[in-house]
Amino acid sequence: MTLDGAPQPAGGPAPQAVTQPVAAPLTAAAIFLVVTVRPGQDSAAAVRGLCGDLGGLLRAVGFRDLNAALTCVMGFGSQLWDQLAGPERPAGLHPFREIRAGERHAVATQADLLFHIRANRMDLCFELATHISARLGEATGTVDEVHGFRYFDDRDLIGFVDGTENPTGQDAVESTVIGAEDPAYAGGSYVIVQKYLHDMATWNALPTEEQENIIGRTKLDDIELDDAVKPSFAHNALTTIVDDNGEEIDIVRDNMPFGNTAKGEYGTYFIGYARSPQTIELMLTNMFIGRPPGNYDRLLDVSRAVTGSLFFVPSVPLLESLADDPADGGPDPASPDPASPGQPSPDQGAPAGDCSDTGGDPPAGPPAPSDSAGSLGIGSLRGVTQHG
Ligand code: HEM
């Protein structure tokens, strides 16, 4: 079986570096677990154990309702990565960089681990989060746990549809999956998360037309404002990034509303996946400082970032290799064995343009044992990509 559950042609080539399901479709529910890990060898051992067991946990929980499309992405902060797999590290991995500009502040609250758990049923998300937390046990320091829900037709609590301009299919793969630019980490990705709280009273007091100028789209029917009328400070103007050839550089977002009416908390959990964190960092600079400086995102007059973390998302084989502690004589995850199945090696890395979506033919590569492709299990079957 291939990772998307479709039969694989007999004797056909196997995927080399299976990406975690970063570009999975939007779901009805999500849990964002952002965890700091206590120092010490016992903690490191608990994290390594989970790296090896996550696939099995996903299979166990996800099998209870395959239609619910349970997935989990596990990301690593730079400090923990250095501890588990250093001294080599992915080119773009560093702690989240705070930004201060006037009243606006993109705070840095860098953590060690991110678990982005998605499904169409919150109970499955919760069940998996429970198992993950139990596995980490005493290794867990502080935890920020946010339960996100779908709000009507994929709207934020500020009432606008969120996610419309996300790339899909191969475009999503090319936007999120590391390729030949960092071959030892090909098949991986980067993710930035920020928890925003909205001042709903101030937002709701704004006329709809003003809200639409702030977002850059109409509110009811979600149509992009014409360039002739869209302000240069519109959210979707400032977050549009182009390369030297004028081509847009996309990211994949899976923002979720969350809230607590008793505490008066109404928020958007921002999560963005990218092939390079620089893309999201540039968007943040444009939003907080402005493009040009001072022409900032008015959404920030009513939305306050209260967390900010950056994580590297290793490919599935690299994640699983972290289970082996090099100190015990196991394989060194920073120098994956080029001969091992599913492992990218410096000369095997391919540009993301060579990635095939789950629907495409897998790229040519050395054969792998029949069970290697399914190692992250049922839960990861949606939206996975294969990288050749
Ligand atoms: C308060 C938090 C945020 C809210 C409520 C929010 C909401 C929205 C909405 C409603 C849209 C228009 C629909 C769509 O295309 O998805 C949008 C677009 C977008 N947002 Fe955000 N967003 C937030 C934070 C961010 C952050 C922090 C970034 C990146 C650093 C970001 C990047 C983008 C991008 C790239 C687009 C698509 C632009 C385009 O190509 O049209 N957003 N956002």
Side-chain angles (χ1 to χ4, degrees), residues 156-158 160-166 192 194 196-198 215 217 222 224 230 235-237 239-240 248-251 253 255 268-270 279-284 287-288 297 299-300 303-304:
D156 290 320
L157 294 182
I158 57 171
F160 281 77
V161 175
D162 193 351
T164 313
E165 295 293 347
N166 261 337
I192 284 182
Q194 286 180 299
Y196 284 89
L197 296 178
H198 304 303
I215 297 296
R217 305 184 74 91
D222 185 34
E224 185 176 357
K230 188 200 290 183
H235 178 65
N236 63 353
T239 53
T240 296
E248 274 189 34
I249 308 177
D250 286 326
I251 64 172
R253 295 162 290 128
N255 296 357
T268 297
Y269 202 92
F270 167 79
T279 310
I280 304 177
E281 288 169 340
L282 188 51
M283 291 175 181
L284 287 172
M287 288 175 64
F288 282 78
D297 190 333
L299 193 50
L300 299 175
S303 308
R304 188 165 53 95

Side-chain angles (χ1 to χ4, degrees), residues 214-253:
I214 290 172
I215 297 296
R217 305 184 74 91
T218 58
K219 192 170 183 181
L220 180 64
D221 48 14
D222 185 34
I223 303 294
E224 185 176 357
L225 298 189
D226 194 274
D227 282 347
V229 296
K230 188 200 290 183
S232 58
F233 60 72
H235 178 65
N236 63 353
L238 291 172
T239 53
T240 296
I241 307 291
V242 293
D243 65 16
D244 293 342
N245 301 319
E247 294 287 323
E248 274 189 34
I249 308 177
D250 286 326
I251 64 172
V252 169
R253 295 162 290 128

Side-chain angles (χ1 to χ4, degrees), residues 14-381:
Q16 292 181 24
V18 178
T19 303
Q20 293 193 58
V22 298
L26 300 179
T27 50
I31 293 181
F32 304 91
L33 270 185
V34 176
V35 179
T36 61
V37 174
R38 291 184 198 281
Q41 287 309 313
D42 290 351
S43 298
V47 175
R48 287 189 190 282
L50 182 57
C51 293
D53 291 348
L54 187 61
L57 293 175
L58 271 160
R59 278 194 294 280
V61 180
F63 190 68
R64 295 164 83 168
D65 181 359
L66 292 174
N67 293 325
L70 179 70
T71 62
C72 178
V73 172
M74 184 174 180
F76 295 79
S78 64
Q79 196 179 331
L80 183 65
W81 184 265
D82 287 350
Q83 192 189 337
L84 295 180
E88 302 297 322
R89 62 154 71 168
L93 182 57
H94 54 259
F96 182 86
R97 294 172 178 149
E98 72 162 3
I99 304 175
R100 283 180 188 272
E103 301 285 294
R104 300 172 299 286
H105 187 192
V107 294
T109 57
Q110 184 62 52
D112 294 316
L113 290 173
L114 165 73
F115 298 92
H116 180 200
I117 305 172
R118 288 180 271 188
N120 289 314
R121 286 174 47 171
M122 179 51 90
D123 57 349
L124 289 191
C125 295
F126 190 75
E127 180 76 3
L128 183 61
T130 303
H131 286 293
I132 289 171
S133 299
R135 290 296 167 116
L136 288 176
E138 293 294 309
T140 307
T142 57
V143 183
D144 185 39
E145 177 170 339
V146 173
H147 292 203
F149 55 87
R150 176 179 289 161
Y151 185 58
F152 298 107
D153 32 8
D154 289 320
R155 290 176 190 268
D156 290 320
L157 294 182
I158 57 171
F160 281 77
V161 175
D162 193 351
T164 313
E165 295 293 347
N166 261 337
T168 55
Q170 187 62 21
D171 288 343
V173 175
E174 288 177 19
S175 307
T176 52
V177 181
I178 299 168
E181 70 274 21
D182 195 5
Y185 299 97
S189 186
Y190 295 95
V191 58
I192 284 182
V193 293
Q194 286 180 299
K195 189 161 82 172
Y196 284 89
L197 296 178
H198 304 303
D199 174 351
M200 291 305 293
T202 304
W203 176 254
N204 287 333
L206 296 176
T208 301
E209 195 179 331
E210 204 170 320
Q211 295 180 352
E212 292 177 335
N213 282 336
I214 290 172
I215 297 296
R217 305 184 74 91
T218 58
K219 192 170 183 181
L220 180 64
D221 48 14
D222 185 34
I223 303 294
E224 185 176 357
L225 298 189
D226 194 274
D227 282 347
V229 296
K230 188 200 290 183
S232 58
F233 60 72
H235 178 65
N236 63 353
L238 291 172
T239 53
T240 296
I241 307 291
V242 293
D243 65 16
D244 293 342
N245 301 319
E247 294 287 323
E248 274 189 34
I249 308 177
D250 286 326
I251 64 172
V252 169
R253 295 162 290 128
D254 198 355
N255 296 357
M256 289 296 256
F258 66 92
N260 184 319
T261 58
K263 291 184 183 165
E265 273 184 9
Y266 297 87
T268 297
Y269 202 92
F270 167 79
I271 181 161
Y273 290 99
R275 185 170 171 167
S276 160
Q278 279 181 352
T279 310
I280 304 177
E281 288 169 340
L282 188 51
M283 291 175 181
L284 287 172
T285 301
N286 292 348
M287 288 175 64
F288 282 78
I289 296 174
R291 184 177 66 190
N295 189 47
Y296 68 91
D297 190 333
R298 278 28 174 197
L299 193 50
L300 299 175
D301 289 340
V302 293
S303 308
R304 188 165 53 95
V306 294
T307 68
S309 274
L310 185 159
F311 302 93
F312 169 63
V313 177
S315 67
V316 173
L318 186 51
L319 172 69
E320 291 178 342
S321 75
L322 292 174
D324 302 308
D325 188 344
D328 295 338
D332 179 358
S335 317
D337 175 3
S340 74
Q343 204 65 268
S345 70
D347 59 352
Q348 287 174 333
D354 288 348
C355 294
S356 60
D357 207 346
T358 47
D361 292 327
S370 58
D371 63 348
S372 70
S375 52
L376 247 194
I378 286 151
S380 68
L381 299 187

